[in-house]
């Protein structure tokens, strides 16, 4: 099975110059915990999560008006459409992340593979290992 078979296609994205309040509203509206951050051309530049907003924003006393660029992670785990799901899971386990951003040949965001996607559509072995290894204390 390939990444393209289980990913969430065309995820909602935000821009680095959106406020974290705007990002949080988008997450709430779309019922998601992460937004790929893309530039004007749609090229992936980072990802911002609800945890980033909570722990690196609100908990540190920052206002909702700061830019996404100030909180986003730019060291993002990316995978390709044709990558094997098991290889994707291995990489997620190594990095201890719950999501991988799917990019096309031009570096544009075209999907997300989340732990939940693997639980719903992957094998039970992949799901068990992913949840166990991502949840391991650092």
């Amino acid at each position: 099975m390939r990444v393209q078979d289980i990913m969430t296609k065309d995820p909602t994205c935000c821009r680095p110059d959106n406020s974290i309040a705007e990002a949080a509203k988008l997450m709430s509206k779309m019922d998601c915990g992460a937004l790929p951050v893309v530039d004007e051309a749609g090229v992936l530049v980072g990802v911002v999560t609800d945890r980033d907003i909570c722990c690196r924003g609100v908990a540190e006393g920052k206002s909702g008006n700061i830019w996404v660029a100030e909180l986003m992670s730019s060291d993002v785990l990316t995978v390709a459409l044709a990558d094997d799901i098991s290889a994707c899971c291995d990489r997620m386990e190594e990095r201890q992340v719950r999501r991988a951003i799917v990019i096309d040949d031009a570096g544009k965001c075209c999907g997300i593979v989340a732990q939940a996607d693997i639980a719903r559509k992957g094998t039970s072995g992949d799901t068990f290992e992913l949840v166990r290894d991502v949840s391991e204390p650092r």
Side-chain angles (χ1 to χ4, degrees):
M1 191 177 325
R2 303 278 176 213
V3 164
Q4 64 192 4
D5 299 325
I6 71 164
M7 72 180 193
T8 299
K9 295 178 173 88
D10 301 318
T12 299
C13 298
C14 68
R15 301 267 306 274
D17 59 351
N18 286 129
S19 71
I20 60 169
E22 291 170 318
K25 287 176 187 171
L26 270 176
M27 287 180 198
S28 178
K29 178 181 177 185
M30 302 309 294
D31 191 28
C32 66
L35 296 172
V37 182
V38 298
D39 66 13
E40 303 82 26
V43 175
L44 183 71
V45 295
V47 67
V48 65
T49 67
D50 49 5
R51 185 167 171 83
D52 294 330
I53 293 170
C54 179
C55 296
R56 296 190 343 216
V58 175
E60 292 184 9
K62 295 178 180 170
S63 80
N65 294 325
I66 65 167
W67 304 124
V68 165
E70 294 181 50
L71 299 183
M72 73 179 193
S73 298
S74 54
D75 182 23
V76 181
L77 174 60
T78 61
V79 294
L81 289 163
D83 286 355
D84 184 74
I85 289 301
S86 292
C88 176
C89 287
D90 290 344
R91 294 181 63 206
M92 291 169 72
E93 291 164 21
E94 288 170 18
R95 296 273 301 268
Q96 286 192 298
V97 296
R98 290 173 172 77
R99 300 168 191 91
I101 308 299
V102 185
I103 57 172
D104 63 16
D105 293 337
K108 294 184 179 183
C109 176
C110 59
I112 295 179
V113 174
Q115 191 172 346
D117 295 318
I118 294 163
R120 283 193 302 270
K121 302 171 190 168
T123 68
S124 58
D126 283 338
T127 301
F128 169 77
E129 288 180 26
L130 179 61
V131 171
R132 181 193 64 206
D133 293 347
V134 166
S135 301
E136 191 69 31
R138 291 182 184 217

